[in-house]
């Protein structure tokens, strides 16, 4: 499995600085403070959404329901039924596990290739709002099945 992410560098939110703060999952060391680097605001939410969607069910021992389990659907025929199942599953998982966002909407767009082996590739677009922010934010990435 390979996942490609489009990382938007929006930085801190002007509405409220440092509203959300998470550890960077790369666990890099900040040379000035000698502490783990953190992600703030929009970048923290994007990292959390990617982590949630790309995790499989039963990956977490003490929270087996955590995860989008999206890779399971990549091995199914990519039709509108599979796309609908993926969208429903991701919407439910985001509502259950990511309490920092409101009004989330997931759109799964299948990307069809030239040959039969290129059929199982999807672009996931998540549109959401944050508390105290007047605009909608969007996170999108592509997941494809590798043989």
């Amino acid at each position: 499995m390979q996942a490609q992410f489009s990382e938007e560098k929006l930085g801190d939110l002007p509405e409220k600085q440092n509203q959300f703060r998470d550890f960077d999952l790369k666990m890099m060391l900040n040379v000035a403070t000698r502490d783990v680097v953190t992600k703030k605001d929009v970048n923290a939410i994007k990292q959390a959404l990617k982590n949630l969607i790309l995790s499989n069910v039963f990956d977490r021992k003490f929270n087996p329901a955590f995860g989008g389990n999206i890779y399971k659907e990549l091995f199914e025929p990519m039709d509108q039924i599979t796309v609908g199942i993926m969208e429903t599953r991701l919407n439910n998982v985001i509502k259950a596990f990511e309490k920092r966002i409101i009004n989330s909407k997931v759109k799964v767009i299948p990307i069809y290739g030239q040959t039969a082996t290129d059929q199982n590739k999807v672009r996931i677009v998540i549109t959401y709002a944050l508390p105290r922010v007047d605009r909608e934010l969007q996170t999108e990435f592509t997941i494809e099945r590798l043989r």
Side-chain angles (χ1 to χ4, degrees):
M1 311 293 162
Q2 179 183 9
Q4 298 172 346
F5 305 115
S6 64
E7 191 71 35
E8 244 183 87
K9 301 292 183 189
L10 293 177
D12 296 335
L13 294 171
E15 290 83 359
K16 182 171 191 291
Q17 296 285 328
N18 301 330
Q19 184 177 0
F20 304 113
R21 183 177 276 198
D22 286 340
F23 288 114
D24 188 359
L25 293 180
K26 295 177 185 173
M27 299 303 257
M28 296 172 54
L29 186 66
N30 186 338
V31 293
T33 62
R34 311 276 304 154
D35 199 4
V36 178
V37 175
T38 59
K39 289 205 175 202
K40 300 173 190 165
D41 296 325
V42 176
N43 292 328
I45 298 294
K46 285 184 175 191
Q47 175 180 276
L49 286 172
K50 290 174 197 172
N51 188 33
L52 177 63
I53 289 172
L54 295 177
S55 295
N56 286 324
V57 177
F58 295 106
D59 277 353
R60 318 281 172 154
K61 278 190 178 199
F62 297 108
N63 196 358
F66 182 87
N69 210 25
I70 199 72
Y71 292 113
K72 175 181 152 186
E73 301 302 326
L74 288 178
F75 289 95
E76 297 295 327
M78 196 55 60
D79 55 2
Q80 291 304 319
I81 295 171
T82 306
V83 169
I85 290 170
M86 292 169 87
E87 287 177 351
T88 303
R89 178 180 293 141
L90 293 178
N91 274 319
N92 292 339
V93 166
I94 290 172
K95 286 178 185 169
F97 291 106
E98 189 52 64
K99 302 294 184 188
R100 299 179 289 184
I101 65 174
I102 53 176
N103 299 332
S104 65
K105 190 181 346 177
V106 176
K107 180 74 176 158
V108 176
I109 305 163
I111 301 171
Y112 299 110
Q114 301 293 331
T115 64
T117 58
D118 296 338
Q119 297 300 314
N120 293 48
K121 184 176 182 180
V122 294
R123 176 171 298 274
I124 299 172
V125 180
I126 306 166
T127 307
Y128 55 93
L130 296 175
R132 300 186 206 116
V133 177
D134 294 335
R135 59 189 166 122
E136 281 192 339
L137 302 170
Q138 188 172 353
T139 299
E140 77 177 58
F141 51 95
T142 303
I143 300 176
E144 66 181 331
R145 176 185 80 177
L146 296 179
R147 290 185 183 242

